Amino acid sequence: MHIVSLIARPDTLDSALVLALCNGLGGGDIVWLSPGEAAEFPVAVAPQNLDDLRASVADRADLNLLPAAGRRKKMLLADMDSTMIQQECIDELADEAGVGARVKDITARAMNGELDFEGALTERVGLLRGLPETVIDTVLADRITLMPGGPALLATMKQGGAYAALVSGGFTAFTARVADLVGFDENRANRLLVENGHLTGEVARPILGRAAKVQALEEITARLGITPTDVIAVGDGANDLDMLTRAGMGVALHAKPSVQAQCGLRINRGDLSALLYLQGYARSEFV
């Protein structure tokens, strides 16, 4: 048995659209997890034309297909930049250093898988050399905003006993603050090196990238006595792909095209609360 999930922006999901899809796929009873925002129905057979169906409703809703069993996960593993927060921290630091346009171009290409992540990170951090360490606090206070739905996602899953880990190719100076704000149990990221109160333009080794995110998944699940199947992972960049495909439920959130093409679950119209809907939580269950 499978679940067809439809998620849209609040008050935009048309009941007629949901009913038409349900009837066309021979689905069972429609369940509205949030009126006008999220609905789902079971189907006995997975539709063969899933990509065509997705494309046909893409301007109105995110359509995803999920196994009916084991939907509520015991662990959340999340990327930070453009996932749990709405910015890329290194881009914001680069703006303060006066090299924003150059760094943003490298970031976009790296996240789309066009550049080697480690090389791209090293190049970008090098452009921050000499920046006062105090700029980090300025960026955190003035430029960084949480992705909508994040606090509800964490609070709801944790009330159900889930563990939450923030694993980023960004920097510990940011992940520590975001983890504390949102309620993550632990965070892992790269460490910017500082000397005499200024950034040296270097990152401590080893660099946490694509492989390290999978390593975190395997280490944390082993420690908790669960399996990767028990994990819902979320990210947006190419360095998240291995983590997303290894987890039991991997969600590409507002992701780069190359990432969406390789990830089974995609959210483009909803926010982080969509991860609760994908697990079968109704809005009334949100903490």
Side-chain angles (χ1 to χ4, degrees):
M1 187 68 70
H2 304 272
I3 299 295
V4 174
S5 165
L6 288 154
I7 301 169
R9 296 190 179 98
D11 303 317
T12 65
L13 186 56
D14 185 358
S15 59
L17 170 66
V18 178
L19 182 60
L21 284 168
C22 183
N23 289 338
L25 294 172
D29 292 340
I30 296 170
V31 175
W32 283 91
L33 300 174
S34 178
E37 183 181 14
E40 63 181 44
F41 54 84
V43 291
V45 179
Q48 298 298 307
N49 60 337
L50 181 61
D51 288 339
D52 291 337
L53 287 172
R54 274 180 161 157
S56 70
V57 302
D59 61 337
R60 291 169 285 175
D62 295 316
L63 188 153
N64 287 289
L65 185 72
L66 305 137
R71 290 173 67 189
R72 296 201 175 185
K73 301 304 182 182
K74 299 176 182 178
M75 175 178 156
L76 169 68
L77 185 64
D79 175 44
M80 180 181 69
D81 296 280
S82 298
T83 301
M84 293 308 303
I85 61 174
Q86 298 186 76
Q87 296 78 25
E88 294 283 336
C89 289
I90 195 166
D91 292 355
E92 303 304 323
L93 288 173
D95 272 345
E96 294 286 341
V99 292
R102 184 175 174 186
V103 167
K104 285 177 183 177
D105 176 65
I106 299 171
T107 299
R109 292 167 63 200
M111 291 302 96
N112 202 39
E114 299 171 27
L115 299 174
D116 168 70
F117 177 80
E118 184 167 333
L121 181 67
T122 301
E123 181 180 356
R124 287 175 291 166
V125 172
L127 296 172
L128 305 179
R129 183 177 181 178
L131 201 63
E133 184 183 14
T134 54
V135 168
I136 293 173
D137 287 334
T138 300
V139 168
L140 277 163
D142 299 340
R143 292 174 173 262
I144 302 303
T145 53
L146 297 178
M147 188 70 74
L153 170 64
L154 268 290
T156 303
M157 288 191 66
K158 291 188 72 175
Q159 180 171 272
Y163 190 85
L166 185 65
V167 182
S168 172
F171 310 115
T172 53
F174 292 92
T175 59
R177 187 75 61 86
V178 172
D180 185 58
L181 280 173
V182 187
F184 282 92
D185 295 294
E186 69 175 90
N187 69 93
R188 301 184 183 192
N190 294 300
R191 183 168 60 88
L192 289 168
L193 296 181
V194 177
E195 188 174 297
N196 298 322
H198 292 77
L199 303 186
T200 66
E202 297 180 345
V203 184
R205 266 41 177 191
I207 288 177
L208 189 155
R210 186 166 179 160
K213 293 194 175 192
V214 175
Q215 181 181 354
L217 170 64
E218 294 175 344
E219 288 178 355
I220 297 170
T221 53
R223 189 179 77 225
L224 297 175
I226 59 177
T227 70
T229 305
D230 299 314
V231 177
I232 181 169
V234 60
D236 74 301
N239 66 323
D240 297 314
L241 264 172
D242 291 349
M243 170 184 80
L244 296 178
T245 55
R246 183 88 169 85
M249 193 179 284
V251 184
L253 181 79
H254 305 160
K256 309 303 181 287
S258 63
V259 178
Q260 294 200 44
Q262 299 177 66
C263 194
L265 300 176
R266 309 163 193 171
I267 294 297
N268 291 305
R269 306 194 68 79
D271 58 28
L272 282 166
S273 61
L275 273 68
L276 292 172
Y277 296 135
L278 290 175
Q279 294 179 78
Y281 286 93
R283 170 67 69 172
S284 59
E285 296 178 90
F286 287 14
V287 176

